[in-house]
Amino acid sequence: MNPAPIGIFDSGLGGLTVARAIYERLPGESTIYFGDTARVPYGPKSPDTVRRYSLEILHWLVGQGVKLVVVACNTSTAHALAALREQSPVPVLGVIEPGARAAVAATQGGPIGVIGTAGTIASNAYPRAIHAISAALRVEQVACPLFVPLVEEGWFEYPATALVAEEYLRPLIAQRIDVLVLGCTHYPLLKPLLGHVMGDGVRLIDSADETARAVAATLTEQQLAAPPGGQVIHRFVVSDDAPRFQQVGARFIGERLSGVEVMALG
Ligand code: DGL
């Protein structure tokens, strides 16, 4: 039994979709969420830069006494998971393996579609993770960089967002994919719109729930779960602009978001 908090980090506030899934599955666990709002977005940045930022955050979280780290950001997971695991004294879980597992479980034979930031798609991390489970599946990928600013703007159901989505997703519709992996923290907020554009025959996979399940399994396997009945605290720390994080973050997570701290890294 271990009452220490779980560390969760993202390039900004999108990772709150993963944090929410962890709160729901593990209501007895405390967490520290770090959003690198000073340096967001990670999507267009080079693998080396994303790795450097991610390692800085890891060391800060470990210094706060976390017992496990969840990399909620797909781009960080794609570029930095191996380096983070090498340097971390505590277990580190990313969002790509759980998302790939959920996609393989959901497909009727593919192809599987994957959408994400430019960095995540260029890294080929999703096709690698999917092929590690099932080598024969075809994977079709498209980078959708405009989705992140549209979500940050709160344009979840706007006609402009639908037009952008139709343009991005056209090649995946033409390939007749049966599963679409939402390979970016922000995309679950576009689920209704993306479902409408893709049509009924396509299952949308959001790695947040599957990641929370993986966190629960690791806590049990490594006997790290918090003792029952303890005090549960959720801390939120960002590298810049706490008021905006609080305001936009409420769309991701609701009223639980209060008392955001600011901590500059780098
Ligand atoms: N958190 C990033 C991801 O999941 C999206 C936002 C960004 O580009 O930093 O890939």
Side-chain angles (χ1 to χ4, degrees):
M1 292 277 156
N2 187 334
I6 295 170
I8 306 167
F9 81 85
D10 181 40
S11 54
L13 47 78
L16 290 172
T17 53
V18 177
R20 188 174 55 192
I22 291 173
Y23 304 153
E24 278 164 16
R25 185 164 289 269
L26 296 163
E29 296 291 339
S30 293
T31 61
I32 304 179
Y33 180 95
F34 185 89
D36 198 2
T37 48
R39 303 188 289 199
V40 69
Y42 283 8
K45 295 201 168 75
S46 73
D48 278 351
T49 299
V50 172
R51 246 187 317 271
R52 180 159 52 85
Y53 292 172
S54 304
L55 285 165
E56 281 171 15
I57 298 168
L58 170 78
H59 293 310
W60 182 79
L61 284 170
V62 168
Q64 299 296 306
V66 299
K67 61 184 173 187
L68 180 144
V69 170
V70 181
V71 187
C73 177
N74 288 258
T75 311
S76 282
T77 303
H79 295 322
L81 187 66
L84 292 164
R85 282 187 170 154
E86 220 166 85
Q87 295 203 18
S88 176
V90 298
V92 181
L93 298 182
V95 282
I96 291 183
E97 278 166 33
R101 257 200 312 277
V104 173
T107 186
Q108 305 287 325
I112 293 176
V114 178
I115 54 176
T117 65
T120 298
I121 298 307
S123 77
N124 279 320
Y126 271 103
R128 263 203 311 279
I130 291 168
H131 290 144
I133 306 168
S134 179
L137 281 169
R138 219 171 88 211
V139 182
E140 300 289 339
Q141 305 192 92
V142 175
C144 303
L146 292 175
F147 282 166
V148 168
L150 287 166
V151 168
E152 295 266 341
E153 205 56 36
W155 285 22
F156 308 141
E157 296 278 1
Y158 276 45
T161 310
L163 279 177
V164 171
E166 281 161 16
E167 191 73 36
Y168 278 144
L169 300 177
R170 192 170 299 134
L172 297 179
I173 295 169
Q175 295 292 334
R176 299 181 166 277
I177 60 163
D178 67 347
V179 164
L180 179 63
V181 180
L182 309 182
C184 172
T185 47
H186 288 57
Y187 301 175
L189 286 139
L190 296 176
K191 235 179 187 172
L193 183 141
L194 297 175
H196 186 71
V197 172
M198 293 309 296
D200 284 343
V202 179
R203 295 257 320 259
L204 304 185
I205 303 293
D206 157 0
S207 42
D209 289 335
E210 197 62 26
T211 302
R213 201 174 310 192
V215 172
T218 305
L219 292 182
T220 308
E221 275 160 27
Q222 308 212 12
Q223 302 188 327
L224 288 172
Q231 199 192 1
V232 174
I233 299 168
H234 297 301
R235 273 178 73 195
F236 300 95
V237 185
V238 294
S239 47
D240 195 16
D241 203 353
R244 179 169 157 80
F245 180 85
Q246 203 148 339
Q247 184 209 334
V248 185
R251 294 196 188 125
F252 286 73
I253 211 162
E255 74 290 352
R256 262 181 284 214
L257 197 55
S258 58
V260 179
E261 306 161 47
V262 178
M263 165 60 120
L265 293 182

